[in-house]
Amino acid sequence: MAITVDPEPVWDQPNDVPEKWIETVDENVASKLPAGSQVKGIVPCGASYWTRTAEIFTEQADGTQKSFFLKARHIGTST
């Protein structure tokens, strides 16, 4: 079975979640990563209608690389 992709976007509205929420890894998020994790970077990843999504790149205590994924949702009126 062939997979087809609709070339027309389903959602043509801007995402109202400010990008600033995925430009850095908040200390509260970092505290939930495995012990010894060092954050190496964060980049936008994927798409969502009501959240911003990001991939967090880390180096673990044993030197291995591991990614984590984050969804940030904006609640309220302040930006």
Side-chain angles (χ1 to χ4, degrees):
M1 179 162 95
I3 297 174
T4 59
V5 177
D6 186 350
E8 295 297 318
V10 175
W11 182 261
D12 63 355
Q13 303 296 314
N15 186 322
D16 66 351
V17 180
E19 285 188 43
K20 71 178 185 177
W21 299 120
I22 60 165
E23 290 176 347
T24 60
V25 178
D26 181 270
E27 62 188 41
N28 293 308
V29 172
S31 72
K32 301 298 182 187
L33 298 173
S37 296
Q38 293 183 358
V39 174
K40 297 298 183 177
I42 183 170
V43 296
C45 178
S48 175
Y49 297 133
W50 53 86
T51 65
R52 291 283 179 183
T53 57
E55 182 175 5
I56 302 170
F57 299 101
T58 68
E59 184 174 310
Q60 300 302 293
D62 65 1
T64 59
Q65 308 295 309
K66 189 168 186 177
S67 290
F68 295 88
F69 295 88
L70 172 74
K71 284 189 174 184
R73 190 175 123 202
H74 180 70
I75 301 175
T77 58
S78 63
T79 54

